Amino acid sequence: MDDAQDNDSSDGADFFLFQWDKDGCMDGTTESNEEASILIRSRADFVQKLSRLALDEVDDVCGDLHSVASRIGSPFPCQLLRSNTTNRTRNACHLKNDGSVEPSIGCIICIILDLWQRTNAVKKYMGSMAQCRGAGGDALREAGAISALLCTLWRLIVPLRAQVGKDVNEKIDVSLSSFLPTMASEPLTCNADMKPGVEEICNNHLHLQNDSLNVCDIAMNEFDSTTLDLAISCLGSLRDLSCGSALNRAAVLAWEPPSPTIYDEHCIENGVHVLSTYVRRYDQLKWEKILSLKERGINSNSNAVNSTTYSKTDRGEKELRLLTNVLGTIRNTSHSTPDVCQEFFNHGLVDPLVWRIMPNDDAQKYSNTQLTTPLPSSLPEASCPWRESCFRAAGSLINLAEKCPDVAHQLGSNRKLIYLLIETWGGVSAITVDPNKMNASTRRLPLLHLGLAAIINAAANGALAGGLDNIMSQVLEKEIIRKRVAQRKEEERKLRQTKQMP
């Protein structure tokens, strides 16, 4: 399963997308409407100034592909500050096209602008399928683009102390010490220690401060938004580079992090591990919760989520796009690549992927039941925001099963999961059981994916308690019929060619 129709582009300064007028204090109870209106205008003014700064101060990354890749994958300014504590001054942090910096004490505005410059470079040089396929993709790989993207993704999610030579076995609260926003259920207030290297605003950007609002909260929200944008862009480019190129997929597995890392008790030793880590970032967090994640300083009662309703936030939409992109990257990198598939399995990715499309409370349903009646659809409706993500997760599992027998055996032991994967492949008609209309119900089914065939065959060979049922049997029987028809047509074609020969 491969997909070449993904788009993650955005224009100009629109990357500042945490809208305070939508999720801000207007729904609070501690301020009057007039005070809230003033605060919202002040916040909007801050974001507008920051957008102008981004346009005025940040130059486009230019040069050959090697220079661009080097710039994208270089350490972040605050990493340089932490690893080199000498000659630190209170002067402004000046960003250059070659990626060099004059370190300040950790100006958050300078860091935001640096991250934005990287995001724009990724979008400009590897932001479309046309740039990442064929000869263009080969040129990007040879220039070090895959390594640069993975280095950036690694730096965004791995705690800084693990990146600068500290003890990798040290217990670190990964949710509070990585660059990406915390996944805590409650919104956070500003705390400079919660983000690496972020301490004050440098002299060049003091004019952004405003007595009527907490600049720290707003700046930290824009920092969170920018890190998400950068991760989304890097994953989108990596997804496109992995599509249709075995060499690029091999490069993902061959990549090694700048330093040995343990994240959440899992080693990160290659690019496959980085992708797995991004999926685990959302462990046990249901789709509704992801889409409702709040920014800093947002009233915790404003976007309440329960079992039946949810309210989208700007941050939540970005988090969902990030997860969708990483699932698409896993789907593409696992396509027809046995060593990559085995590494994903060894790193424990199968269980998180299964949970994403089939939460634990639904895992045992139909576990040993042989169905003889139509099965209701298990996939999200067409209008559901996470439908695309579910299909990518299911496609990833099918790709993994094709080249990794361990995955096929694990997936083949769960009846409900097999139904869901069959539906993903062939639609609702594929899980309709009607012996009187067997030919009609199977005529339009697509070519059986080898990964799905491996899963059903594993179920038939003992992985599934109770054996195959009518749904699974009809899929295999239809494929046998299709192969016989194709073989007969090929023989007839060869016979016609023989008769036409002089």
Side-chain angles (χ1 to χ4, degrees), residues 388-403:
E388 181 184 5
S389 295
C390 285
F391 271 89
R392 292 188 181 186
S396 298
L397 288 171
I398 292 175
N399 278 355
L400 290 169
E402 177 184 353
K403 295 299 181 181

Side-chain angles (χ1 to χ4, degrees), residues 19-44 295-303:
Q19 301 296 322
W20 289 91
D21 58 338
K22 291 169 61 178
D23 300 311
C25 294
M26 289 296 268
D27 53 2
T29 58
T30 60
E31 296 180 327
S32 67
N33 287 341
E34 181 179 358
E35 291 172 336
S37 179
I38 293 174
L39 185 57
I40 289 172
R41 287 197 299 271
S42 299
R43 287 166 168 167
E295 296 86 41
R296 297 169 187 271
I298 305 301
N299 189 319
S300 60
N301 296 322
S302 61
N303 287 326

Side-chain angles (χ1 to χ4, degrees), residues 112-281:
I112 290 173
L113 297 180
D114 174 83
L115 297 177
W116 190 41
Q117 186 186 52
R118 297 169 193 260
T119 303
N120 284 346
V122 172
K123 292 177 179 179
K124 179 178 179 180
Y125 290 94
M126 54 193 85
S128 70
M129 182 63 73
Q131 294 171 304
C132 296
R133 292 293 295 271
D138 293 338
L140 285 168
R141 182 189 68 251
E142 292 170 0
I146 292 177
S147 176
L149 293 171
L150 288 169
C151 279
T152 299
L153 291 169
W154 176 80
R155 291 191 173 101
L156 285 172
I157 201 168
V158 171
L160 184 65
R161 274 178 284 176
Q163 300 180 29
V164 295
K166 298 295 183 182
D167 182 7
V168 296
N169 293 310
E170 178 184 1
K171 293 296 183 181
I172 300 172
D173 188 344
V174 295
S175 65
L176 299 182
S177 55
S178 62
F179 279 75
L180 292 171
T182 176
M183 301 304 290
S185 59
E186 292 298 325
L188 300 170
T189 55
C190 181
N191 182 344
D193 293 334
M194 294 173 65
K195 290 298 175 185
V198 176
E199 299 177 16
E200 295 184 27
I201 295 179
C202 70
N203 295 338
N204 272 3
H205 301 134
L206 289 176
H207 64 283
L208 293 174
Q209 297 191 35
N210 189 323
D211 294 336
S212 64
L213 76 162
N214 186 347
V215 174
C216 183
D217 265 341
I218 299 179
M220 291 303 295
N221 266 302
E222 300 311 323
F223 177 91
D224 290 343
S225 177
T226 309
T227 58
L228 289 173
D229 284 329
L230 180 55
I232 289 169
S233 296
C234 289
L235 287 167
S237 297
L238 199 60
R239 175 200 63 215
D240 293 345
L241 285 166
S242 300
C243 180
S245 174
L247 291 176
N248 288 352
R249 294 193 288 269
V252 172
L253 179 60
W255 175 85
E256 295 181 358
S259 63
T261 312
I262 294 179
Y263 179 96
D264 197 19
E265 300 183 356
H266 289 86
C267 293
I268 298 180
E269 299 176 340
N270 52 54
V272 166
H273 296 172
V274 172
L275 298 177
S276 296
T277 301
Y278 271 83
V279 175
R280 286 198 180 88
R281 182 169 179 263

